[in-house]
Amino acid sequence: LCNTMWANSFQYSDQDECLVFATNWQEILVEAIQSQDSQECIGATHHLEEPVANPSIASTICADFSGQACCSTSTANTINDATDTSLYNFDYSHCGPISKECEAFLQMEECFYECSPDLAPYASPGPFGPVLNGIPVCADFCDAWFSACKNDLTCATDWLDFEQEEDLDGFFFNYETYEIYCTEESECLTFAERYGNGEGLCNTMWANSFQYSDQDECLVFATNWQEILVEAIQSQDSQECIGATHHLEEPVANPSIASTICADFSGQACCSTSTANTINDATDTSLYNFDYSHCGPISKECEAFLQMEECFYECSPDLAPYASPGPFGPVLNGIPVCADFCDAWFSACKNDLTCATDWLDFEQEEDLDGFFFNYETYEIYCTEESECLTFAERYGNGEGLCNTMWA
């Protein structure tokens, strides 16, 4: 096309110095597709008769459709409030509370169905209103949706398969109350158990409505879905302090720690300025009477990672889902730490020395290998029998360090 359509005017090129006719050509293309004459509303229960510009929904999670929408402001506002089940008497939290990230994807899907003016080519009549068939949903969107919901619970695999008998697995539609709920025999399983991966989720969750696609022409439920997801994560109601010795009762903005190594938590922190300052001074052992240099001086790189870990424990407001009571305060379990961070931590500390492998395993006898906690002085130190070995000898690699160092 490029080499022929306009004689020799243009030449197809894969070089960095190539040109395009407009730097925003992709946006122009999207607008062209959205302006197709085929835009129409599909007659769902809450749909308008035809799409209209609706700037009043721009402040909702359905904002993507404010230019041309099949949903009213009232419908968009209802979707925006995930606790409002009035549209279809259906509760996302039918198996207990769900994560904000998963909730955001379910809201985006609902916006897509209720507000999009581009669904007509995929719509056909169904028992409870129009159903969709074969919409190609971008693979990365499906994968992100699965990642967000994989640990959340649901009692049905196909959310459009309403059982007629209450003793069957899945959802039951009560024709008297118009409510949708889990049947008595249904089992609450994680999304991971029900769908396996992003492809399984997109291809199955809403019957045949969606199809996992790696083609360029695929769709997403909202062009700004990544921003919506970030906002959902940041708005988690689970932000709280876990009651560690030096924690505040609840997280607060603390701009005064922005000049410390704990600066990352200045927006919402569970640590006081005093705690952050103590961590910032690696020679100050007053928090737990514990010295990083228990086997001799350690490198500044290793010291920095140990300080960052201490900031994370003392200051982060996002640890509650991973916390449980321990003998010396809350302990954490199963926090997924990025592989490249673990590898960098190991690389920084591999030549430094420590006398214990598990830094939370305090020995009760001084002749055992590792740390000993002295209940009289409240000090933690290496036992007489413990051996100072390098991090490389104790952990082997970044995975060994992250999986073992703090129990």
Side-chain angles (χ1 to χ4, degrees), residues 2 8 38 56 89 123 133 159 195 205 220 261 266 277 281 315 333 336 357:
C2 276
N8 297 319
S38 63
S56 64
N89 292 318
N133 186 66
W159 283 27
Y195 304 111
M205 186 174 179
V220 294
I261 197 166
S266 59
N277 286 338
D281 178 1
C315 302
N333 184 66
T357 302

Side-chain angles (χ1 to χ4, degrees), residues 59-314:
S59 61
T60 73
I61 198 167
C62 302
D64 216 36
F65 303 102
S66 59
Q68 286 286 285
C70 286
C71 59
S72 66
T73 303
S74 174
T75 297
N77 285 338
T78 300
I79 297 170
N80 198 63
D81 178 2
T83 64
D84 189 337
T85 63
S86 61
L87 284 186
Y88 295 100
N89 292 318
F90 176 70
D91 190 355
Y92 299 149
S93 304
H94 49 267
C95 278
I98 66 169
S99 66
K100 288 293 184 182
E101 303 100 296
C102 187
E103 181 180 89
F105 275 96
L106 298 177
Q107 288 173 287
M108 284 189 277
E109 188 280 332
E110 201 164 358
C111 286
F112 188 67
Y113 179 76
E114 297 296 341
C115 302
S116 175
D118 302 312
L119 304 182
Y122 307 98
S124 59
F128 300 99
V131 295
L132 306 176
N133 186 66
I135 296 178
V137 180
C138 298
D140 60 346
F141 183 87
C142 292
D143 293 339
W145 186 0
F146 175 77
S147 180
C149 295
K150 64 183 179 183
N151 296 319
D152 291 284
L153 297 169
T154 179
C155 64
T157 302
D158 178 355
W159 283 27
L160 287 180
D161 183 15
F162 303 115
E163 306 291 359
Q164 301 305 303
E165 300 177 40
E166 288 200 58
D167 60 350
L168 296 178
D169 183 59
F171 292 133
F172 175 73
F173 181 76
N174 188 317
Y175 284 91
E176 296 179 359
T177 63
Y178 285 89
E179 290 179 294
I180 301 168
Y181 49 81
C182 299
T183 67
E184 292 181 4
E185 296 299 312
S186 59
E187 185 178 5
C188 286
L189 300 173
T190 64
F191 276 59
E193 291 171 310
R194 287 206 175 266
Y195 304 111
N197 52 34
E199 184 172 6
L201 188 154
C202 274
N203 291 358
T204 311
M205 186 174 179
W206 293 100
N208 298 316
S209 298
F210 308 121
Q211 177 135 15
Y212 184 91
S213 174
D214 57 6
Q215 302 301 307
D216 293 339
E217 296 77 17
C218 62
L219 302 176
V220 294
F221 298 159
T223 56
N224 63 331
W225 67 269
Q226 291 166 311
E227 295 172 25
I228 292 172
L229 183 58
V230 168
E231 288 177 12
I233 293 170
Q234 291 176 341
S235 69
Q236 286 278 21
D237 292 331
S238 63
Q239 281 200 324
E240 60 182 273
C241 302
I242 59 174
T245 305
H246 304 287
H247 269 207
L248 303 176
E249 289 188 4
E250 57 184 33
V252 296
N254 191 353
S256 64
I257 70 173
S259 60
T260 72
I261 197 166
C262 301
D264 213 34
F265 304 102
S266 59
Q268 285 286 284
C270 286
C271 59
S272 66
T273 303
S274 173
T275 296
N277 286 338
T278 299
I279 297 170
N280 198 64
D281 178 1
T283 64
D284 188 338
T285 63
S286 60
L287 283 186
Y288 295 100
N289 293 315
F290 176 71
D291 190 356
Y292 298 150
S293 304
H294 48 268
C295 278
I298 64 168
S299 66
K300 286 295 183 183
E301 307 96 292
C302 186
E303 181 179 88
F305 275 95
L306 298 177
Q307 288 173 289
M308 284 188 280
E309 187 282 330
E310 201 164 358
C311 286
F312 187 65
Y313 180 76
E314 297 296 340

Side-chain angles (χ1 to χ4, degrees), residues 15 120 127 153 179 234 276 341 366 388:
Q15 302 302 307
L153 297 169
E179 290 179 294
Q234 291 176 341
F341 183 87
E366 290 199 59
C388 287

